[in-house]
Amino acid sequence: MNWRLKSALFRLAAALPYADALDRRRRTRGRAALSVDISLHLTPALKMLRRLAELRGFAPAGRVALEIGAGWNPVYGVLLSLLGAQRVILLDIQPYLTFAGVRHVLRQIEPKLPEIAAATGAAEADLRARWRPLAAAPDFASQLAAGRIEFFAPASAAAAPLADGTVDLFFSTCVLEHIPEADLRGVHRETRRLLKPGGLVYHIVDLSDHFAHGDPSLPRLNFLRYDDRAWARLGQNRLFHLNRLRAVEMKRLLDEAGLSVIFVEAQTDPADVEFVRGLALPPRFHGLTPEEIAAHLCHLVAEKRSVR
Ligand SMILES: C[S@@+](CC[C@H](N)C(=O)[O-])C[C@H]1O[C@@H](n2cnc3c(N)ncnc32)[C@H](O)[C@@H]1O
């Protein structure tokens, strides 16, 4: 579908009083959620764990992990559960997660247990022993209980129903780009409150124009050409919001909240740098280099400083 039509449909649908319910139905009942190939999520999830192990010796067993914006395909949550996390807390502003969604991940992850064992150093027999009761659970509540998974929704990442200092790992994938900048500051303040001293933060942020995901004719960073006013109309409403923050700005917000960024991987394609150089950029991006603006994906790792 043409992206401008899509944008207009989101804008119209967002104005309906039952917009959230419609969106939830689309995500959880349609075939989209249950046709996702979990490899797309498993590869970055294993990368996150490898990186946390390398940087700070982090291993999930016995730890408390919180994923914000967990969505409908809980690959990271199931993986952490199989690796023996003490608590896996999944939180989302929308209750997208379902029994069928978890079962879909469990079915697809089973043939990948040898790969997970090889990548993490866990014993395949232990992974399988934790997978079995999850897969056998007859309903959502017993499924979550079998995996030591807690699900909070609707709940905002800026106000989690959890006590101070309970979390070892606070993470998200493809979520921060959807949160308005002002709200992101609140999310990072909440992160600091929830983390144990020395606790870790890992965010994977898709910095591209998401309209381009479904429209190959659109340049990956097309949305950068619009000024804030035009973009607020095209791509910022209740059902679809992209804040367009770049990796360096995401990093700065974490630092400002007292979360020390210890690692940034920003993925940039030379063709996108050329594209950015060719744009008459709106003032909102002035002060950043074309390379900084052109990054289309970033992984950010931070930790809670013990003293502010
Ligand atoms: C693009 S989806 C990503 C879902 C999942 N992390 C994945 O990678 O498949 C973004 C998710 O973030 C959630 N979300 C957006 N803003 C949020 C907020 N302020 N607090 C909690 N969740 C939020 C949305 O409801 C949605 O489930």
Side-chain angles (χ1 to χ4, degrees):
M1 187 191 298
N2 173 281
W3 79 273
R4 281 188 177 276
L5 178 59
K6 206 168 182 175
S7 156
L9 287 176
F10 273 126
R11 202 162 53 244
L12 275 175
L16 298 173
Y18 40 88
D20 290 341
L22 271 181
D23 184 50
R24 220 163 34 244
R25 203 181 158 82
R26 180 175 71 92
R27 297 279 189 207
T28 55
R29 297 270 173 86
R31 270 191 286 150
L34 299 183
S35 62
V36 169
D37 174 0
I38 69 145
S39 316
L40 298 174
H41 298 274
L42 190 58
T43 304
L46 291 173
K47 181 175 182 174
M48 171 180 92
L49 291 176
R50 192 174 60 246
R51 185 161 279 153
L52 291 172
E54 283 166 9
L55 287 168
R56 288 296 184 264
F58 178 88
R63 303 300 195 99
V64 178
L66 166 62
E67 178 177 11
I68 60 159
W72 43 95
N73 285 118
V75 177
Y76 289 70
V78 166
L79 178 63
L80 289 164
S81 168
L82 296 179
L83 290 168
Q86 183 200 335
R87 289 173 78 187
V88 179
I89 306 166
L90 306 180
L91 178 150
D92 204 295
I93 205 140
Q94 286 274 18
Y96 289 137
L97 195 65
T98 61
F99 176 60
V102 179
R103 206 176 38 187
H104 173 70
V105 170
L106 285 165
R107 281 195 188 132
Q108 283 204 33
I109 216 166
E110 196 267 342
K112 300 194 183 287
L113 295 181
E115 178 191 337
I116 295 169
T120 60
E124 190 185 326
D126 291 344
L127 297 177
R128 215 164 272 288
R130 294 191 190 104
W131 178 86
R132 267 189 227 106
L134 264 163
D139 55 52
F140 195 31
S142 37
Q143 198 181 43
L144 297 181
R148 301 166 313 287
I149 300 172
E150 297 159 45
F151 177 48
F152 294 103
S156 163
L162 295 164
D164 295 3
T166 42
V167 171
D168 296 292
L169 171 64
F170 185 109
F171 73 99
S172 75
T173 85
C174 303
V175 175
L176 296 197
E177 70 269 27
H178 296 290
I179 300 181
E181 180 173 352
D183 298 348
L184 258 190
R185 292 177 193 276
V187 171
H188 294 333
R189 270 197 304 276
E190 186 69 343
T191 310
R192 241 193 91 79
R193 181 183 79 74
L194 293 172
L195 280 178
K196 296 177 186 174
L200 293 166
V201 180
Y202 200 106
H203 291 300
I204 301 175
V205 193
D206 181 346
L207 304 162
S208 70
D209 182 343
H210 291 24
F211 284 125
H213 297 181
D215 184 346
S217 69
L218 207 62
R220 175 157 56 186
L221 297 174
N222 184 61
F223 63 173
L224 299 179
R225 66 174 82 243
Y226 301 102
D227 64 23
D228 280 351
R229 195 146 168 251
W231 183 248
R233 199 168 157 276
L234 289 167
Q236 294 183 336
N237 55 60
R238 210 160 110 225
L239 292 181
F240 181 93
H241 184 103
L242 287 178
N243 56 37
R244 302 191 299 167
L245 288 165
R246 313 319 295 152
V248 283
E249 297 170 317
M250 290 281 180
K251 173 184 181 304
R252 181 171 42 73
L253 289 179
L254 282 162
D255 278 326
E256 285 172 4
L259 297 162
S260 265
V261 175
I262 55 174
F263 187 89
V264 181
E265 176 195 334
Q267 294 182 16
T268 312
D269 187 327
D272 290 333
V273 177
E274 280 318 298
F275 173 78
V276 168
R277 282 190 208 282
L279 287 179
L281 283 168
R284 184 242 165 284
F285 298 109
H286 294 175
L288 301 179
T289 66
E291 288 75 11
E292 286 171 337
I293 296 168
H296 64 267
L297 184 85
C298 73
H299 290 227
L300 297 152
V301 191
E303 67 187 345
K304 179 175 173 174
R305 287 183 210 129
S306 36
V307 186
R308 285 201 80 174

